[in-house]
Protein backbone atom coordinates (compact mmCIF):
# COMPACT_ATOMS: atom_id res chain seq x y z
CA UNK A 1 0.00 0.00 0.00
CA UNK A 2 0.92 3.65 -0.19
CA UNK A 3 2.42 5.13 2.94
CA UNK A 4 0.79 8.20 4.45
CA UNK A 5 2.98 9.31 7.33
CA UNK A 6 2.07 12.92 7.88
CA UNK A 7 3.06 15.76 10.13
CA UNK A 8 0.74 18.74 10.52
CA UNK A 9 2.33 22.03 11.58
CA UNK A 10 0.62 25.32 12.31
CA UNK A 11 0.28 28.05 14.92
CA UNK A 12 -2.13 27.86 17.87
CA UNK A 13 -5.57 28.82 16.59
CA UNK A 14 -4.87 27.71 13.00
CA UNK A 15 -7.55 25.00 13.16
CA UNK A 16 -5.12 22.06 13.04
CA UNK A 17 -7.52 19.83 14.98
CA UNK A 18 -10.28 20.22 12.40
CA UNK A 19 -7.89 19.43 9.54
CA UNK A 20 -6.34 16.49 11.38
CA UNK A 21 -9.76 14.87 11.86
CA UNK A 22 -10.69 15.32 8.20
CA UNK A 23 -7.38 13.93 6.92
CA UNK A 24 -7.30 10.94 9.25
CA UNK A 25 -10.90 10.06 8.35
CA UNK A 26 -10.25 10.40 4.60
CA UNK A 27 -7.18 8.14 4.55
CA UNK A 28 -8.24 5.92 7.50
CA UNK A 29 -5.07 6.66 9.40
CA UNK A 30 -4.88 7.38 13.14
CA UNK A 31 -4.57 11.00 14.28
CA UNK A 32 -1.79 10.95 16.85
CA UNK A 33 -2.10 14.05 18.96
CA UNK A 34 0.86 13.88 21.32
CA UNK A 35 -1.20 15.35 24.18
CA UNK A 36 -3.87 12.65 23.80
CA UNK A 37 -1.20 9.98 23.38
CA UNK A 38 0.48 11.02 26.62
CA UNK A 39 -2.85 10.93 28.48
CA UNK A 40 -3.64 7.50 27.01
CA UNK A 41 -0.26 6.09 28.10
CA UNK A 42 -0.79 7.42 31.62
CA UNK A 43 -4.30 5.97 31.73
CA UNK A 44 -3.12 2.57 30.39
CA UNK A 45 -0.41 2.66 33.09
CA UNK A 46 2.38 1.60 30.70
CA UNK A 47 5.97 1.92 31.97
CA UNK A 48 6.38 5.11 29.88
CA UNK A 49 3.01 6.32 31.12
CA UNK A 50 4.05 5.84 34.75
CA UNK A 51 7.30 7.69 34.14
CA UNK A 52 5.45 10.56 32.43
CA UNK A 53 2.90 10.77 35.24
CA UNK A 54 5.67 11.32 37.81
CA UNK A 55 7.25 14.06 35.70
CA UNK A 56 3.95 15.87 35.14
CA UNK A 57 3.04 15.54 38.82
CA UNK A 58 6.33 17.28 39.63
CA UNK A 59 5.31 20.11 37.29
CA UNK A 60 8.02 19.29 34.77
CA UNK A 61 7.78 18.87 31.00
CA UNK A 62 8.05 15.35 29.62
CA UNK A 63 11.44 15.06 27.90
CA UNK A 64 11.90 14.70 24.15
CA UNK A 65 13.35 11.22 24.70
CA UNK A 66 10.19 10.02 26.41
CA UNK A 67 7.96 11.65 23.79
CA UNK A 68 9.90 9.93 21.00
CA UNK A 69 9.76 6.60 22.82
CA UNK A 70 5.98 7.05 23.17
CA UNK A 71 5.62 7.91 19.48
CA UNK A 72 7.70 4.89 18.43
CA UNK A 73 5.58 2.66 20.67
CA UNK A 74 2.40 4.16 19.22
CA UNK A 75 3.34 3.93 15.53
CA UNK A 76 4.42 0.31 15.96
CA UNK A 77 0.75 -0.56 16.56
CA UNK A 78 -1.21 -2.25 13.79
CA UNK A 79 -3.48 0.68 12.97
CA UNK A 80 -0.43 2.69 11.82
CA UNK A 81 0.52 0.26 9.03
CA UNK A 82 -0.87 2.51 6.27
CA UNK A 83 0.41 5.62 8.00
CA UNK A 84 -0.47 8.13 10.71
CA UNK A 85 -0.91 11.84 11.27
CA UNK A 86 1.35 13.45 13.89
CA UNK A 87 0.06 16.59 15.54
CA UNK A 88 1.84 18.52 18.31
CA UNK A 89 5.28 16.96 17.93
CA UNK A 90 7.92 17.87 16.80
CA UNK A 91 7.60 21.48 17.94
CA UNK A 92 11.31 22.26 18.01
CA UNK A 93 14.30 21.63 15.78
CA UNK A 94 16.00 19.20 18.23
CA UNK A 95 12.74 17.18 18.32
CA UNK A 96 12.63 17.02 14.50
CA UNK A 97 16.27 15.93 14.37
CA UNK A 98 15.64 13.33 17.07
CA UNK A 99 12.77 11.84 15.05
CA UNK A 100 15.11 11.43 12.08
CA UNK A 101 17.81 9.91 14.30
CA UNK A 102 15.19 7.46 15.63
CA UNK A 103 14.16 6.52 12.09
CA UNK A 104 10.65 7.87 12.46
CA UNK A 105 10.30 8.69 8.77
CA UNK A 106 7.64 11.02 7.41
CA UNK A 107 6.18 11.13 3.89
CA UNK A 108 4.59 14.58 4.10
CA UNK A 109 4.91 17.71 6.22
CA UNK A 110 1.97 20.10 5.86
CA UNK A 111 2.36 23.57 7.31
CA UNK A 112 -0.68 25.80 7.76
CA UNK A 113 0.33 29.44 7.37
CA UNK A 114 -1.99 31.95 9.03
CA UNK A 115 -1.20 35.65 9.57
CA UNK A 116 -0.89 36.60 13.24
CA UNK A 117 -3.63 39.21 12.94
CA UNK A 118 -6.13 36.58 11.80
CA UNK A 119 -5.27 34.32 14.73
CA UNK A 120 -5.39 37.17 17.25
CA UNK A 121 -8.85 38.12 16.01
CA UNK A 122 -10.05 34.51 16.04
CA UNK A 123 -8.85 33.78 19.56
CA UNK A 124 -9.16 37.12 21.36
CA UNK A 125 -12.76 37.48 20.17
CA UNK A 126 -13.88 34.33 21.99
CA UNK A 127 -16.21 34.69 24.96
CA UNK A 128 -17.50 31.91 27.16
CA UNK A 129 -20.46 31.37 29.49
CA UNK A 130 -18.71 29.47 32.27
CA UNK A 131 -21.74 27.72 33.78
CA UNK A 132 -22.86 26.10 30.51
CA UNK A 133 -19.64 26.10 28.48
CA UNK A 134 -21.43 27.91 25.63
CA UNK A 135 -18.97 29.85 23.50
CA UNK A 136 -19.40 32.97 21.40
CA UNK A 137 -17.24 35.16 19.24
CA UNK A 138 -17.72 38.92 19.28
CA UNK A 139 -17.44 39.06 15.49
CA UNK A 140 -18.13 35.60 14.04
CA UNK A 141 -20.78 34.34 16.47
CA UNK A 142 -21.92 37.23 18.68
CA UNK A 143 -24.44 36.85 21.52
CA UNK A 144 -27.82 38.58 21.01
CA UNK A 145 -26.96 41.01 23.82
CA UNK A 146 -23.27 41.96 24.04
CA UNK A 147 -21.56 40.26 26.99
CA UNK A 148 -24.62 38.13 27.90
CA UNK A 149 -25.40 34.45 27.35
CA UNK A 150 -28.34 33.96 24.92
CA UNK A 151 -30.03 31.34 27.09
CA UNK A 152 -29.58 32.50 30.68
CA UNK A 153 -28.55 36.14 30.28
CA UNK A 154 -25.55 35.36 32.51
CA UNK A 155 -22.24 37.15 32.00
CA UNK A 156 -19.74 36.07 29.34
CA UNK A 157 -16.03 36.10 30.13
CA UNK A 158 -12.80 36.00 28.19
CA UNK A 159 -10.44 33.20 29.23
CA UNK A 160 -6.92 34.24 30.27
CA UNK A 161 -5.48 32.10 27.45
CA UNK A 162 -7.60 33.99 24.93
CA UNK A 163 -6.43 37.49 25.87
CA UNK A 164 -4.59 39.30 23.11
CA UNK A 165 -1.29 39.67 24.99
CA UNK A 166 -1.24 35.94 25.82
CA UNK A 167 -2.05 34.97 22.23
CA UNK A 168 0.72 37.22 20.87
CA UNK A 169 3.20 35.75 23.34
CA UNK A 170 2.30 32.20 22.27
CA UNK A 171 2.59 33.19 18.61
CA UNK A 172 6.03 34.73 19.21
CA UNK A 173 7.24 31.44 20.74
CA UNK A 174 5.65 29.50 17.89
CA UNK A 175 7.37 31.60 15.21
CA UNK A 176 10.78 31.23 16.83
CA UNK A 177 10.43 27.45 16.79
CA UNK A 178 8.43 26.92 13.63
CA UNK A 179 10.67 28.91 11.36
CA UNK A 180 13.53 26.59 12.23
CA UNK A 181 11.25 23.57 11.75
CA UNK A 182 9.94 24.78 8.42
CA UNK A 183 13.51 25.45 7.20
CA UNK A 184 14.63 22.03 8.40
CA UNK A 185 11.88 20.23 6.47
CA UNK A 186 12.36 22.40 3.39
CA UNK A 187 16.06 21.46 3.39
CA UNK A 188 15.25 17.75 3.83
CA UNK A 189 12.84 18.02 0.91
CA UNK A 190 15.36 19.79 -1.31
CA UNK A 191 18.10 17.32 -0.39
CA UNK A 192 16.24 13.97 -0.46
CA UNK A 193 12.75 14.73 -1.77
CA UNK A 194 11.52 13.32 1.58
CA UNK A 195 9.35 14.28 3.34
CA UNK A 196 7.36 16.26 0.77
CA UNK A 197 6.91 19.72 2.31
CA UNK A 198 3.67 21.57 1.57
CA UNK A 199 2.65 25.06 2.69
CA UNK A 200 -1.05 25.88 2.81
CA UNK A 201 -2.81 29.18 3.35
CA UNK A 202 -4.67 28.57 6.59
CA UNK A 203 -6.61 31.83 6.56
CA UNK A 204 -9.27 30.48 4.17
CA UNK A 205 -12.42 28.54 5.11
CA UNK A 206 -11.76 25.21 6.85
CA UNK A 207 -13.44 23.11 4.14
CA UNK A 208 -11.35 24.83 1.43
CA UNK A 209 -8.18 23.99 3.36
CA UNK A 210 -9.29 20.35 3.70
CA UNK A 211 -9.96 20.12 -0.06
CA UNK A 212 -6.51 21.59 -0.83
CA UNK A 213 -4.71 19.22 1.55
CA UNK A 214 -6.53 16.13 0.24
CA UNK A 215 -5.87 17.22 -3.35
CA UNK A 216 -2.15 17.65 -2.69
CA UNK A 217 -1.83 14.34 -0.90
CA UNK A 218 -3.79 12.38 -3.49
CA UNK A 219 -1.95 14.09 -6.34
CA UNK A 220 1.52 13.53 -4.88
CA UNK A 221 0.76 9.91 -4.10
CA UNK A 222 0.36 9.15 -7.81
CA UNK A 223 4.01 9.98 -8.42
CA UNK A 224 5.65 8.31 -5.44
Amino acid sequence: GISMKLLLLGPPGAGKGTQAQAISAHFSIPHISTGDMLRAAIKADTPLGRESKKIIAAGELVSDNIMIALIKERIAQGDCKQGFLLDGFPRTLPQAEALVANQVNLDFVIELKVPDEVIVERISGRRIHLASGRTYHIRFHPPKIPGKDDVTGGSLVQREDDKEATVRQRLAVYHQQSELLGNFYQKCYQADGQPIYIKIDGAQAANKITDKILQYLTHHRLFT
Side-chain angles (χ1 to χ4, degrees), residues 82-120:
Q82 298 302 312
F84 51 82
L85 173 74
L86 264 188
D87 168 15
F89 191 98
R91 273 176 203 227
T92 64
L93 188 57
Q95 289 174 351
E97 288 166 340
L99 279 186
V100 173
N102 277 274
Q103 279 133 22
V104 177
N105 301 318
L106 298 166
D107 301 311
F108 293 94
V109 174
I110 301 163
E111 185 169 8
L112 293 178
K113 289 288 210 185
V114 188
D116 284 5
E117 295 314 311
V118 172
I119 287 176
V120 168

Side-chain angles (χ1 to χ4, degrees), residues 15-76:
K16 285 199 303 288
T18 309
Q19 298 308 325
Q21 283 173 331
I23 298 164
S24 73
H26 185 88
F27 294 110
S28 306
I29 54 175
H31 169 207
I32 301 174
S33 148
T34 46
D36 294 347
M37 184 185 66
L38 197 54
R39 285 185 285 275
I42 291 169
K43 200 174 167 207
D45 206 31
T46 66
L48 280 170
R50 280 198 288 277
E51 202 176 331
S52 307
K53 192 176 179 174
K54 274 195 212 116
I55 296 164
I56 293 168
E60 304 285 319
L61 280 175
V62 175
S63 73
D64 292 353
N65 289 345
I66 293 183
M67 291 307 292
I68 286 161
L70 277 168
I71 288 169
K72 286 178 82 167
E73 189 176 81
R74 177 68 189 85
I75 66 180

Side-chain angles (χ1 to χ4, degrees), residues 11-222:
K16 285 199 303 288
T18 309
Q19 298 308 325
Q21 283 173 331
I23 298 164
S24 73
H26 185 88
F27 294 110
S28 306
I29 54 175
H31 169 207
I32 301 174
S33 148
T34 46
D36 294 347
M37 184 185 66
L38 197 54
R39 285 185 285 275
I42 291 169
K43 200 174 167 207
D45 206 31
T46 66
L48 280 170
R50 280 198 288 277
E51 202 176 331
S52 307
K53 192 176 179 174
K54 274 195 212 116
I55 296 164
I56 293 168
E60 304 285 319
L61 280 175
V62 175
S63 73
D64 292 353
N65 289 345
I66 293 183
M67 291 307 292
I68 286 161
L70 277 168
I71 288 169
K72 286 178 82 167
E73 189 176 81
R74 177 68 189 85
I75 66 180
Q77 292 172 15
D79 63 345
C80 290
K81 272 204 176 36
Q82 298 302 312
F84 51 82
L85 173 74
L86 264 188
D87 168 15
F89 191 98
R91 273 176 203 227
T92 64
L93 188 57
Q95 289 174 351
E97 288 166 340
L99 279 186
V100 173
N102 277 274
Q103 279 133 22
V104 177
N105 301 318
L106 298 166
D107 301 311
F108 293 94
V109 174
I110 301 163
E111 185 169 8
L112 293 178
K113 289 288 210 185
V114 188
D116 284 5
E117 295 314 311
V118 172
I119 287 176
V120 168
E121 184 184 29
R122 270 185 200 170
I123 299 181
S124 65
R126 290 180 191 158
R127 298 293 181 272
I128 185 164
H129 180 242
L130 290 174
S132 67
R134 275 186 289 278
T135 54
Y136 299 87
H137 191 285
I138 54 178
R139 176 159 168 221
F140 305 120
H141 176 53
K144 294 190 179 82
I145 301 160
K148 303 288 179 207
D149 175 47
D150 287 353
V151 181
T152 63
S155 293
L156 302 179
V157 297
Q158 183 181 38
R159 292 199 330 224
E160 280 301 317
D161 280 0
D162 295 345
K163 293 198 166 140
E164 180 169 341
T166 314
V167 176
R168 288 196 186 274
Q169 177 54 39
R170 283 170 65 205
L171 285 170
V173 171
Y174 174 78
H175 291 310
Q176 275 175 331
Q177 296 176 343
S178 80
E179 252 154 58
L180 297 170
L181 266 186
N183 293 342
F184 172 77
Y185 284 117
Q186 273 171 309
K187 283 201 187 98
C188 291
Y189 183 34
Q190 283 154 357
D192 310 321
Q194 284 295 96
I196 293 167
Y197 175 79
I198 303 164
K199 259 186 206 169
I200 297 218
D201 168 17
Q204 40 189 340
N207 58 343
K208 286 238 170 67
I209 298 170
T210 306
D211 291 345
K212 278 243 165 69
I213 292 175
L214 297 181
Q215 234 173 349
Y216 270 119
L217 293 175
T218 312
H219 174 76
H220 274 290
R221 286 199 319 175
L222 301 174

